[in-house]
Amino acid sequence: MRVPAGILALVLLASPLQAQTSFTGPADALDGDSLTVGGIEVRLFGIDAPEGKQKCSRDGQAWPCGEAAAGKLRSLVEGQNVSCRARGRDTYGRAVSVCSAGGIELNRTMVAQGWATAFRAYAQDYVADEVRAKAGRVGIWDSTFELPADFRRQNEERAAAAQAPVRLMHQPRASTNQSQGCTIKGNHSRRGDWIYHLPGMPYYNQTRAEAMFCSEAEAQAAGYRRAIVR
C-alpha cells in the first residue's frame, strides 16, 4: 500500500495475528518505536519516535536523537522477555502492539521519558504522557526537532524528486501494461524500497500501483523486488 507522504500507515487489518492476540519472547529494538519479539516484527501502538538517522538540535549542536531513542528502547528490553498484545497489523505486516517488559509498558515509558511522541493521528492514549514530558524537558524535549512524521515526509519528498526521471522513464510502459490487463503491482515503500505484489498476496488489494507489470522478470528488470510475505 502506498502511504501518503509523511504518514506512517498503522491501518489495523481484520486478519488475526497467527490466530493469537498476545505473544511473548526475547526482544531486540530496531529503532525507538519498533522491535522484534520472539521473531515477530512489532510496531509499538500509539507512539512515534525519531527515525534512526534523525538528528535533533541542542544549543545549536546536532545530536543523533534517533539513535538515542533506539538505544533507550534497547535498554528497556535487553535481557527481558517482552509480552505484547497485538491490535492488528500495519501495511508492512508488523504487529501493531502494546508491549511490556520488566513490569513496565514500553509504549508509555518511551513517551513519558521523552524518547517518543504521542502519535495523535492514530491514538490519544499517550497524549498526557507527552504533555508531561514536554513540560519537564526530558529526552528529545530538551531539544529542537522535527516531528518524526514531518521528517519522514521531507525524506520522501527528496527521494521522490531524485527518482522522478526514473519514474517518468517507466510511466509509459506502466500505463500500456495496465491497459493490457497486466496484474503485478509495483510500489515504492516509505523506506525507499521498490517492491512488487502479485495477485493473491497479502495487501495486494490495498496496494496502490505506481507501475504495472506482466511478469516478475519484467518487474525485476525495472528495479523492483518481490514483496516479503510474513
Side-chain angles (χ1 to χ4, degrees):
M1 179 178 182
R2 178 63 177 171
V3 183
I7 299 297
L8 177 63
L10 294 179
V11 179
L12 302 183
L13 303 179
S15 58
L17 176 67
Q18 299 176 352
Q20 297 181 10
T21 55
S22 299
F23 52 96
T24 302
D28 183 36
L30 302 176
D31 55 32
D33 53 33
S34 61
L35 62 160
T36 58
V37 178
I40 297 172
E41 192 169 350
V42 174
R43 175 63 162 85
L44 292 176
F45 169 79
I47 77 171
D48 200 15
E51 295 295 312
K53 295 182 180 180
Q54 187 171 347
K55 296 186 184 298
C56 300
S57 177
R58 182 186 292 138
D59 298 327
Q61 299 294 318
W63 64 283
C65 54
E67 293 178 10
K72 178 60 181 179
L73 183 58
R74 190 169 296 114
S75 73
L76 293 173
V77 304
E78 189 172 10
Q80 302 276 357
N81 259 351
V82 174
S83 298
C84 297
R85 301 187 310 278
R87 305 247 183 140
R89 289 188 183 273
D90 68 6
T91 54
Y92 301 103
R94 299 175 297 183
V96 181
S97 308
V98 176
C99 299
S100 299
I104 65 169
E105 183 190 309
L106 300 177
N107 310 51
R108 191 173 303 281
T109 299
M110 288 297 291
V111 176
Q113 296 189 7
W115 296 108
T117 61
F119 208 169
R120 287 171 169 80
Y122 299 99
Q124 300 296 308
D125 300 48
Y126 306 109
V127 171
D129 300 280
E130 180 193 281
V131 170
R132 287 190 290 270
K134 184 176 181 179
R137 299 185 63 84
V138 296
I140 59 176
W141 295 109
D142 190 33
S143 305
T144 301
F145 64 93
E146 292 178 287
L147 287 174
D150 292 338
F151 178 82
R152 288 191 296 271
R153 183 181 64 249
Q154 290 186 11
N155 278 354
E156 288 174 359
E157 289 172 351
R158 285 192 291 267
Q163 293 171 359
V166 178
R167 287 202 304 272
L168 288 172
M169 181 174 66
H170 289 308
Q171 187 60 40
R173 188 176 191 181
S175 299
T176 300
N177 284 349
Q178 193 166 17
S179 67
Q180 292 173 352
C182 298
T183 58
I184 299 176
K185 294 182 178 181
N187 178 264
H188 304 157
S189 77
R190 71 178 182 88
R191 297 175 180 174
D193 297 326
W194 290 29
I195 58 179
Y196 63 85
H197 300 258
L198 302 173
M201 292 178 67
Y203 317 120
Y204 176 84
N205 291 335
Q206 294 94 335
T207 298
R208 188 179 76 182
E210 293 169 330
M212 297 295 293
F213 302 100
C214 298
S215 68
E216 290 191 72
E218 183 181 10
Q220 292 165 6
Y224 291 76
R225 65 166 176 79
R226 187 170 182 168
I228 298 172
V229 178
R230 294 183 174 88

